[in-house]
Amino acid sequence: MLFKDLTQDMNPHQAYRIKKLKRQLERAESYEEWKSTALKIDEESGAQEWKLDNSSAYFDAEIISHRLNLLRRYRTSERTRDLMYILREGLTYDIANIAHPLLFTATYVGTKKIIEDYIDEVSKSLAFVASNECQSLSAQEKLDFFEQCRTAYGQPAIMFSGGATLGLFHTGVCKALMEQDLMPKVLSGSSAGAIMTAMLGVSKPSDVTGILSGENFFSEAFHFRKIGQILKGDGGIADVRYLKKFLVENLGDVTFAEAFKTSGLHINVAVAPYDASQDARIMNAYTSPDLLVWSAVLASCAVPVLFPPVRLTSKRYDGEQTPYMATTRWVDGSVRSDFPQEKMARLYNINYTIASQVNPHIVPFMQTDEQRYRSDMLSWPERIARRQGKVISKGVMDFTRQRMGNVNALRRLMDHGYGIVDQRYYGDLNIVGNYSFKHYGYMLQNPRPFLFKLLQREGERATWPKISAIETHARVGKTIQHCLELLNYQQNKAEHVKAEHISV
């Protein structure tokens, strides 16, 4: 963190108090406890002073200050048309670069106060336009304005990576976000992340708490085959029938279209054709409404070597199950599209993404925001090494494919390797597992209560430091949604009263 800059002149007593508070932070049992301790650290370290200083290389404070003053003036003087004009003008979550990741690393909680004040004022201004205090607009004009705002502002998405049993980490991420009412309505997942996505996507909102308690996960999803069976070459190391049984029991014969009607969530499952010449796809209620969710998740979990490629199953209008693209076999989506950000952005008007990353071959190489956005001279060697390493790896795999492409097993291995190296594994906000060697021993264990609680708590703890940034990014969008719900409710109520009056 940037605390190095803020605490370098600390006296021994301050350093001791902060060290003690950080130990308390590590032992926090809830977000409320974590936040309370984090605020004390910010105060003790002097980080709060950073919040009051508008100067920063990462955002344009002048633009934000000017807009903040205009919004306050127009709202308090009830100049509604001017207020709407200014709101429309800057309706984006990262206006003047206020969403820059390094604006959320100098303190544990919050960011520059002027940014917090600006977002608060935008929310107040939107609420004023929707309220009964605003008399200069008709109900329909208000509805039209907020519909435009929703389209202009967009919505967030959360993406769950693969990671076998380590994917239980995602349950902690979901639990922490749901407790703060910050869970996006658009979800994607590949492999283990596809299971998390689907579990939520086929469930009623009232059943989600039960899912996050873990009981649905306690199953023999991994059952390893005998050496003799593996040597026959007709499958993977694990028996896919056990995983299929687990998925069918928990997800039922529900299509993507039916899942959306049940949960109201836009779920996306990443899958990849076994033939690497074809691009990976995301399955959802738009692209494959009749596809059975369990079938897509089974394909997304078909990690090469661990499980064999699988065929997909859809449900016809009369309820009969039929093959989906019968001649194509599918494998784990994380092989070529762990985080399908661009495809989802086109379908759902995504403005920012939250990535929950636990893939064991990715996490050790991921950088923090501070490392990724450093621009000083000392960061150049690592930056160059990473870029050139990626270029060289892709070049070697390309060369091998060209020279030995007639060996099918080697060609497929190179294709999958190329897909892994060539992906982008970061979202706009990243929640990443903190691994030690013991985590690799958890990977292919069947979920048990102790392991579930352990990994879920790791997911919660990794999410808590990100909640402040997520709240900041989400607040305006949530205000727009709440205003729309209020206006629609009022309109429906007025129409109902009018209909009753006519019938009388």
Side-chain angles (χ1 to χ4, degrees), residues 165 168 442 445-456:
T165 303
L168 294 174
Y442 300 150
Q445 291 185 28
N446 282 303
R448 292 293 180 264
F450 168 76
L451 187 56
F452 177 86
K453 289 179 181 177
L454 175 71
L455 293 174
Q456 184 178 73

Side-chain angles (χ1 to χ4, degrees), residues 256-258 260 265-268 283-290 348:
F256 278 95
E258 292 168 342
F260 175 71
L265 298 175
H266 295 282
I267 60 170
N268 300 265
M283 303 305 193
N284 53 50
Y286 292 131
T287 62
S288 49
D290 302 320
Y348 303 108

